[in-house]
Amino acid sequence: MKQPLIEERRTYGDVTTRVLELPGAGPPVVLFHGYADSADTWRPALDLLAREDRRVLAVDLPGFGHADRLDRDEPILEQLDRFGAAVVREVAREHGDVTVCGNSLGGCLSLRLAQDPQLPIAVCVPVAPAGFDHPLWFRAIEGDRFVRLALRAPLPGPVLRSVVGEAYRQLAFARPRDPGAAVVAAFTQHLATQRDVRRILATGSRMLPELSRPFRLREIGVPVVLIWGDRDRMVAHRGSRHVLAALPDTRLELLEGIGHCPQVEAPVRFVDLLLEAAPASALAAGR
């Protein structure tokens, strides 16, 4: 039986956000999206996971989607850490140790959370995590011709969303024409004005110095399953060497012909890997 997808607003710590939840069974999986994205990026995967009777939660990160804005006077990664830790603790309090999985910036967050031995995390599944060879992704965004076009004034709303959508296609996917209109529309709804685009770019620029050395990888004591596309234009998969050097027991899954967002471009393969990695019982999760 396919589980219903619940969409609602919740507060974790001092951040109110939007949540997409599958109220299934077993140890929970928490999903963190990437820079400029939202929990909507997980919808293709959530549709598949709904048939597996697994408990899954996707959230909008602070500063993105429908979540509260970031504090301009505080480091961004520290704010994300506090939020992510609050989500993990609250979910684990009710349902047991958590599998944390994140794409891009969310992958960076997942690895950072896994560094904390006090958090009830069973497995970490970073997907093309940011924080390795980091200048490339933001240069790609800033230099994209469609992003530059989106900043020119004035552009009517539908035209702006079309331009932003084209930038998303070109940057995030190995085959830009493959993602359906619904996938692109879900992304562009959160970047519907030039003010939105400028704010997101300012956030990325401000975050760059924080991403130069964001990890203490050797402090991670839980299993890590690293998923990456071999045609990622945003964060090159050679970044995986840093994780493998620090954590040689890491399992690396390199997906052939896939770009920066495997959860969208190859949802079936992504879900298979996630379910293989995530404990299927409380006993396996250490509870």
Side-chain angles (χ1 to χ4, degrees):
M1 185 177 73
K2 184 176 179 180
Q3 293 292 323
L5 181 64
I6 299 169
E7 181 171 352
E8 61 185 16
R9 293 190 68 75
R10 296 181 193 166
T11 299
Y12 298 99
D14 58 357
V15 176
T16 299
T17 189
R18 179 184 59 141
V19 172
L20 303 178
E21 181 179 23
L22 294 173
V29 177
V30 172
L31 301 172
F32 298 116
H33 64 79
Y35 166 77
D37 214 332
S38 75
D40 293 313
T41 191
W42 304 107
R43 286 187 183 272
L46 288 168
D47 186 60
L48 296 171
L49 287 163
R51 298 171 170 82
E52 300 295 331
D53 193 32
R54 295 298 301 271
R55 187 180 304 279
V56 186
L57 187 86
V59 295
D60 287 347
L61 293 175
F64 304 100
H66 295 293
D68 288 348
R69 296 293 178 234
L70 291 157
D71 187 332
R72 295 183 181 181
D73 299 323
E74 188 177 1
I76 291 172
L77 292 186
E78 290 182 11
Q79 296 181 64
L80 298 183
D81 288 345
R82 280 202 310 274
F83 172 78
V87 174
V88 167
R89 288 193 184 100
E90 183 160 331
V91 172
R93 188 178 300 119
E94 295 185 18
H95 307 296
D97 288 4
V98 173
T99 293
V100 290
C101 174
N103 175 228
S104 194
L105 177 59
C108 174
L109 173 59
S110 297
L111 284 167
R112 285 170 62 91
L113 293 175
Q115 293 169 171
D116 185 349
Q118 301 303 313
L119 287 177
I121 293 174
V123 180
C124 178
V125 185
V127 183
F132 305 109
D133 305 315
H134 71 280
L136 298 178
W137 65 271
F138 195 67
R139 288 174 186 168
I141 293 171
E142 282 192 314
D144 183 81
R145 61 192 178 98
F146 293 104
V147 172
R148 294 199 305 270
L149 178 60
L151 295 175
R152 294 175 187 168
L155 287 178
V159 175
L160 178 66
R161 286 190 291 274
S162 176
V163 171
V164 169
E166 193 58 36
Y168 175 54
R169 286 182 182 276
Q170 295 298 327
L171 292 169
F173 304 111
R175 298 177 295 277
R177 304 268 56 91
D178 279 5
V183 168
V184 177
F187 179 85
T188 60
Q189 69 172 315
H190 304 293
L191 296 170
T193 69
Q194 288 173 320
R195 182 178 180 181
D196 293 333
V197 175
R198 291 191 177 98
R199 175 177 56 80
I200 290 297
L201 288 175
T203 296
S205 180
R206 180 178 146 208
M207 191 167 46
L208 272 184
E210 299 180 38
L211 286 169
S212 61
R213 292 179 178 269
F215 305 118
R216 305 183 309 277
L217 293 174
R218 295 186 188 278
E219 296 182 17
I220 295 176
V222 301
V224 175
V225 178
L226 185 58
I227 301 174
W228 225 308
D230 72 347
R231 293 181 59 189
D232 191 333
R233 299 186 182 100
M234 302 289 291
V235 184
H237 65 80
R238 65 176 177 270
S240 62
R241 72 187 187 278
H242 301 291
V243 183
L244 294 170
L247 302 167
D249 290 335
T250 294
R251 174 182 167 191
L252 172 62
E253 293 288 346
L254 193 60
L255 306 187
E256 185 177 354
I258 301 301
H260 188 55
C261 297
Q263 72 276 8
V264 176
E265 203 165 2
V268 173
R269 181 64 175 140
F270 166 77
V271 166
D272 285 346
L273 292 172
L274 179 61
L275 292 176
E276 288 174 16
S281 69
L283 182 62
R287 288 289 175 117

